[in-house]
Amino acid sequence: MGEEISPQAEDVAELELEAVIGFNGHVPNGLKCHPDQEHLLYPLGCTVLIQAINTPEQNFLHGHSNNVSCLTISKSGDYIASGQVTFMGFKADIILWDYKKRELLARLSLHKGKIEALAFSPNDLYLVSLGGPDDGSVVVWNIAKRDAICGSPAAGLNVGNATSLVFSRCRDEIFVTAGNGTIRVWELDLPNRKIWPTECQTGQMKRIVLSVAMAEDDGFFYLGTTTGDILKMNPRTKLLADTGPVKDKYSLGVSAIRSLKMGGLLVGSGAGLLVFCKSPSYKPAKKIQLQGGITSITLRGEGHQFFVGTEESHIYRVNFTDFKETLIATCHFEAVQDVVFPFGTSELFATCAKKDIRVWHTMSNRELLRITVPNITCHAIDFMRDGKSIISAWNDGKIRAFAPETGRLLYAISSAHRIGVTAVATTSDCKRVISGGGEGEVRVWQIGCQTQKLEEALKEHKSSVSCIRVKKNNEECVTASTDGTCIIWDLVRLKRNQMILANTLFQCVCYHPEEFQIITSGTDRKIAYWEVFDGTVIRELEGALSGSINGMDITQEGAHFVTGGRDHLVKVWDYNEGEVTHVGMGHSGSITRVRISPGNKHIVSVSADGAILRWKYPFAS
């Protein structure tokens, strides 16, 4: 949880978050364009991100203790409201934010478990919130008083949960909820502090509603369903006006829907199809295929341009007239396994996840290159010292080398390891690659101009190798394994020098720059310092209060090191004092790896939810 930082929390400074590469495309309607038409807002973990559209500038709204599940902006743009998930039986907060000041105005706590959806009334008078499946209630809040006016169960007894919510565009007293077999128009009766629902009649049609949109003049509202059709309802008569398409329904459901001022609808499907269509046929007048199921469509101004978010963490910009998409933001949507800087430069870095390696420009957060190998996972990467190749470890047992500018495959070492390649490192003379496998073998490869030769297979570890670090002079390396051992190898004699044993699954290891000590960490949450010479333990620190420590890196001078793990916190440590100096909160998934950039400008941490966070390195170098 967000509260526990570390045992020495009193004098710990906060690490400054510089930038985030990440977009959680699984939050329904999570991507929003602000009425100022200059900013996009979207949730990432427990943070709400405000991203300028034309510059790399980002602001962060910190305040939620758990993942943000919904987000909405008032019509004037003055207010933002965001809701979160929490543990079963606990209260889930809604936070009301001041957009211009970028600060928290109020915490609204009534719902349990999860906030499903939020909507502001057209004149910023009220906020309506819909609780998740364990809560099932709808609550109207007075924005000026920051207090609840009234609440009610969202759906009747014999139907499923309500999951979608939309406010009237003209009246502050009317809103609509919809979900599994329920469509209700609500009227707020302020003098009596009550809300009155009317169930809409759909005759024989039984539908599960995924998305809902209100027409500009309130004449009708539109509902997108799991079946892939659209229902048009009249909010005054509460009757079905029409429904379609009759034949080619939208595959995997209508997951996002927006009504345009000039008439017609923008529709997004779970299969990634984006369509402009009109009632009553709902046949596509314009369409494009995007990557990943569409979860958000948000209009810029009147909708001459709009933005689309997908489950594969892509954000597209589309101009209405030519109906062509431009990819404006992308990130990993699977767990990021590794992150690495090239030797001596902090200008770019590489990350890897399932099926792809991506190279990023550090200061602009832009993806420069994507190397994709379908259906297999890349566990680890390293840059060759000369910068001419990226060496990568894959779970199909191959080591692949790619050119970092073009992404061209330079060579592949087939069946390098039996149970997948789990770790990889390179020597500074660019002549050797050292790899570790799922079966525990450490293999040393000679890399020539045209050839890759196995020099030695070192069989001592009993289970997978999690981390490899090479000494500066290339005469020694250390390998950490989940079998509870770290082994220091002599790379000249190709024999074991020293073995370190602990009751833990080692996840990470680093040489101190003076190279007579190493530090390790893993599932026992202890950070241990060891003598390289005889393998004895010098000291042990309590690294975290809960969960494994998965990533660790040390500065070139050795004065400080950083760690990250299951507790979602990035910690900067003083090497000699053994104390935490700074803590960074921002990840919502387990941190898998951390790196300090060459020159000590930034810390980059990556996590299991696909996010990449860049922090300001806290000490002047």
Side-chain angles (χ1 to χ4, degrees):
M1 293 304 294
E3 287 69 56
E4 53 181 58
I5 293 188
S6 70
Q8 322 87 339
E10 297 78 58
D11 49 355
V12 177
E14 206 174 303
L15 208 52
E16 184 189 328
L17 186 58
E18 287 184 323
V20 169
I21 302 173
F23 164 62
N24 179 0
H26 291 280
V27 177
N29 298 316
L31 177 69
K32 301 276 187 205
C33 186
H34 192 272
D36 68 11
Q37 301 189 33
E38 296 296 317
H39 294 86
L40 290 174
L41 281 81
Y42 48 92
L44 183 73
C46 30
T47 319
V48 175
L49 203 69
I50 304 175
Q51 170 74 59
I53 292 172
N54 300 320
T55 69
E57 188 207 351
Q58 293 180 323
N59 294 101
F60 311 100
L61 301 178
H62 300 292
H64 286 287
S65 60
N66 211 320
N67 288 355
V68 177
S69 53
C70 57
L71 176 71
T72 188
I73 306 173
S74 71
K75 199 170 172 182
S76 65
D78 294 348
Y79 299 106
I80 298 164
S82 53
Q84 70 171 60
V85 285
T86 175
F87 299 104
M88 184 126 178
F90 285 85
K91 290 261 199 303
D93 283 355
I94 299 163
I95 299 182
L96 185 66
W97 308 89
D98 181 312
Y99 173 73
K100 289 193 180 69
K101 294 186 181 154
R102 312 274 200 264
E103 63 185 36
L104 188 149
L105 291 174
R107 255 178 218 283
L108 311 173
S109 300
L110 267 184
H111 295 286
K112 280 198 182 87
K114 177 186 178 184
I115 311 297
E116 197 72 58
L118 291 163
F120 281 104
S121 75
N123 298 305
D124 292 9
L125 296 181
Y126 312 116
L127 173 71
V128 176
S129 58
L130 191 54
D134 301 334
D135 178 86
S137 59
V138 57
V139 175
V140 181
W141 306 84
N142 182 319
I143 292 172
K145 295 184 180 161
R146 305 198 180 142
D147 199 12
I149 298 170
C150 57
S152 161
L157 294 173
N158 50 359
V159 292
N161 297 316
T163 51
S164 298
L165 171 66
V166 68
F167 227 104
S168 146
R169 292 286 196 84
C170 319
R171 296 180 55 194
D172 283 305
E173 297 76 45
I174 307 273
F175 62 92
V176 174
T177 61
N180 185 351
T182 167
I183 303 166
R184 286 179 155 192
V185 178
W186 298 78
E187 205 152 342
L188 171 66
D189 173 359
L190 194 62
N192 296 315
R193 292 185 74 149
K194 284 256 187 300
I195 39 178
W196 305 106
T198 312
E199 201 74 47
C200 292
Q201 299 308 315
T202 53
Q204 288 303 301
M205 293 183 73
K206 294 278 178 282
R207 291 289 186 267
I208 300 172
V209 175
L210 280 176
S211 53
V212 53
M214 184 69 73
E216 191 76 24
D217 59 357
D218 276 359
F220 295 97
F221 61 93
Y222 301 88
L223 306 135
T225 71
T226 52
T227 334
D229 48 11
I230 295 159
L231 314 184
K232 179 178 176 182
M233 306 286 307
N234 183 325
R236 285 179 303 284
T237 64
K238 322 306 190 260
L239 296 176
L240 189 62
D242 66 43
T243 172
V246 183
K247 275 231 200 52
D248 301 313
K249 300 204 189 309
Y250 294 106
S251 175
L252 301 181
V254 175
S255 47
I257 189 164
R258 280 282 166 276
S259 166
L260 295 171
K261 193 170 190 174
M262 53 181 207
L265 298 171
L266 291 173
V267 169
S269 82
L273 191 67
L274 178 73
V275 164
F276 172 67
C277 63
K278 288 186 170 169
S279 157
S281 78
Y282 301 102
K283 284 206 180 87
K286 305 178 176 202
K287 63 176 180 183
I288 36 178
Q289 181 63 47
L290 304 177
Q291 255 183 300
I294 295 171
T295 48
S296 301
I297 300 172
T298 181
L299 307 182
R300 190 174 188 178
E302 302 292 346
H304 58 92
Q305 197 181 59
F306 54 95
F307 297 90
V308 182
T310 75
E311 286 180 336
E312 289 199 10
S313 300
H314 286 43
I315 301 176
Y316 296 95
R317 183 177 63 225
V318 183
N319 286 335
F320 183 79
T321 37
D322 62 3
F323 223 68
K324 294 242 188 340
E325 81 277 15
T326 312
L327 184 64
I328 59 162
T330 169
C331 61
H332 294 288
F333 58 98
E334 306 274 1
V336 186
Q337 305 281 345
D338 202 0
V339 54
V340 60
F341 283 91
F343 176 72
T345 173
S346 62
E347 275 183 38
L348 43 105
F349 63 91
T351 56
C352 66
K354 189 173 174 174
K355 85 175 187 184
D356 61 12
I357 298 170
R358 304 191 189 196
V359 179
W360 306 88
H361 183 254
T362 309
M363 290 318 286
S364 69
N365 307 333
R366 298 237 346 207
E367 184 184 293
L368 301 175
L369 175 72
R370 187 187 305 190
I371 301 162
T372 304
V373 186
N375 306 328
I376 50 176
T377 299
C378 183
H379 283 302
I381 44 175
D382 201 5
F383 278 98
M384 224 16 139
R385 172 75 68 110
D386 59 14
K388 289 183 182 156
S389 57
I390 297 173
I391 312 296
S392 54
W394 297 80
N395 71 343
D396 64 349
K398 289 188 186 181
I399 296 169
R400 292 176 172 85
F402 299 97
E405 278 90 24
T406 59
R408 187 171 63 87
L409 179 67
L410 302 173
Y411 61 83
I413 304 174
S414 294
S415 28
H417 286 274
R418 283 203 311 281
I419 315 178
V421 191
T422 53
V424 66
T426 57
T427 57
S428 61
D429 59 8
C430 303
K431 289 182 178 154
R432 282 167 153 183
V433 166
I434 297 144
S435 64
E439 74 294 310
E441 278 190 29
V442 175
R443 295 189 157 194
V444 182
W445 305 87
Q446 276 189 336
I447 307 296
C449 289
Q450 304 295 320
T451 57
Q452 303 86 41
K453 198 166 99 227
L454 177 63
E455 199 177 335
E456 191 66 76
L458 306 165
K459 305 181 184 181
E460 298 237 3
H461 288 301
K462 300 283 179 288
S463 73
S464 72
V465 178
S466 50
C467 187
I468 305 172
R469 294 287 173 112
V470 182
K471 206 166 152 174
K472 288 196 207 62
N473 65 6
N474 301 324
E475 288 175 8
E476 184 184 282
C477 76
V478 58
T479 57
S481 167
T482 55
D483 64 3
T485 65
C486 281
I487 298 179
I488 294 158
W489 303 93
D490 184 323
L491 289 179
V492 182
R493 299 184 336 207
L494 296 169
K495 293 273 187 293
R496 179 178 96 184
N497 267 355
Q498 202 52 261
M499 190 181 219
I500 284 161
L501 278 160
N503 186 12
T504 180
L505 311 180
F506 283 117
Q507 300 290 355
C508 43
V509 60
C510 290
Y511 274 103
H512 185 273
E514 287 163 14
E515 297 183 332
F516 48 74
Q517 288 181 2
I518 58 170
I519 47 173
T520 61
S521 197
T523 52
D524 66 351
R525 310 192 298 280
K526 297 218 181 350
I527 296 166
Y529 296 43
W530 310 83
E531 285 287 0
V532 169
F533 170 66
D534 59 359
T536 53
V537 65
I538 305 161
R539 75 195 300 184
E540 278 195 339
L541 309 172
E542 197 61 47
L545 290 180
S546 64
S548 154
I549 293 176
N550 303 323
M552 175 186 264
D553 199 16
I554 193 162
T555 60
Q556 284 143 328
E557 310 74 48
H560 295 93
F561 65 95
V562 290
T563 59
R566 290 264 329 243
D567 64 356
H568 306 180
L569 302 173
V570 177
K571 295 181 186 174
V572 182
W573 300 76
D574 183 301
Y575 188 89
N576 293 328
E577 299 294 322
E579 302 223 324
V580 177
T581 62
H582 293 75
V583 169
M585 292 172 67
H587 280 284
S588 62
S590 190
I591 297 171
T592 49
R593 286 285 187 239
V594 288
R595 292 276 181 179
I596 300 166
S597 71
N600 298 350
K601 281 203 191 72
H602 319 286
I603 298 165
V604 173
S605 53
V606 297
S607 59
D609 57 359
I612 303 167
L613 272 63
R614 187 177 90 231
W615 311 83
K616 187 176 166 94
Y617 183 74
F619 301 102
S621 49

